[in-house]
Amino acid sequence: MCNPDIILVRAGTDPVKWADVISAIEVKWRDQPDLLQKAIGQLADVAALVFHYQPDRQWFPCLSLCRTSLHMSVFTRGGSLHTVPLDLHKDVAQFTKVMNYFTQTEFGWLGYDWRTFMLRGQCWDPDVHFIRTLIIAIS
C-alpha cells in the first residue's frame, strides 16, 4: 500500500481518497542520494495513483524533504522533472514561496484541467467555479 508521509487535501475531506489528493511530501531524516531516490520512487507511486483516480490531472507537483534539502518533483503522464535541492536554512524566502505555491495557488497551476472535467457530472462547463480550502494531513 502506498502511504505518503504528508498529503495536501481540501479541508473537510474525510475519509481521504486518492481522488482527493492535491499533493504529497515524502520526508527522509538524512540527505543521502539513495534516500532521495527512494523518496522520488515513492512519489512516483503516489503520482501513478493520483493520475489513475483523477483523470483531470495533467501534472502532479510534489516535494521530497531530505533533512534540510527540499526537492520539487513534477510528474506528468509521460515523465517527470526534478529540481536541484533548496537548503531550508539558507533559502528561507524561497521555501516560503514554495509552500505558498502549494497552498495558495489556483488548481490549474497544480495540474488540474477543469476545461475537460468537473467534479460533478464529468462534463465541460465554463461556469463552474470551485472554492478552495486546504488542510495538510500528516500521517
Side-chain angles (χ1 to χ4, degrees):
M1 185 79 185
C2 187
N3 294 313
D5 294 326
I6 302 171
I7 59 171
L8 181 65
V9 297
R10 291 181 183 94
T13 304
D14 189 38
V16 175
K17 298 176 183 159
W18 288 111
D20 304 317
V21 175
I22 296 168
S23 189
I25 303 174
E26 283 295 328
V27 179
K28 304 298 178 201
W29 294 109
R30 292 186 308 268
D31 187 11
Q32 297 174 335
D34 61 324
L35 291 177
L36 173 61
Q37 290 304 315
K38 183 176 180 182
I40 290 173
Q42 291 169 321
L43 290 171
D45 292 341
V46 171
L49 287 166
V50 167
F51 287 136
H52 176 78
Y53 287 98
Q54 298 180 25
D56 55 341
R57 286 304 281 270
Q58 300 301 307
W59 67 86
F60 181 70
C62 49
L63 300 170
S64 55
L65 179 62
C66 297
R67 193 170 172 133
T68 62
S69 295
L70 184 70
H71 300 259
M72 182 173 173
S73 298
V74 179
F75 293 90
T76 68
R77 295 179 184 273
S80 61
L81 174 72
H82 312 281
T83 65
V84 296
L86 174 70
D87 188 322
L88 300 184
H89 291 297
K90 296 177 183 174
D91 301 315
V92 176
Q94 282 296 103
F95 172 71
T96 303
K97 288 179 183 179
V98 169
M99 292 295 106
N100 284 340
Y101 168 77
F102 281 93
T103 59
Q104 302 296 319
T105 194
E106 295 179 21
F107 280 125
W109 286 101
L110 292 170
Y112 291 91
D113 186 359
W114 298 114
R115 297 170 300 165
T116 307
F117 295 95
M118 59 180 220
L119 292 177
R120 293 179 203 89
Q122 296 295 306
C123 63
W124 182 78
D125 185 354
D127 298 323
V128 173
H129 300 289
F130 297 94
I131 299 174
R132 198 168 50 108
T133 307
L134 303 175
I135 61 168
I136 296 177
I138 300 174
S139 61

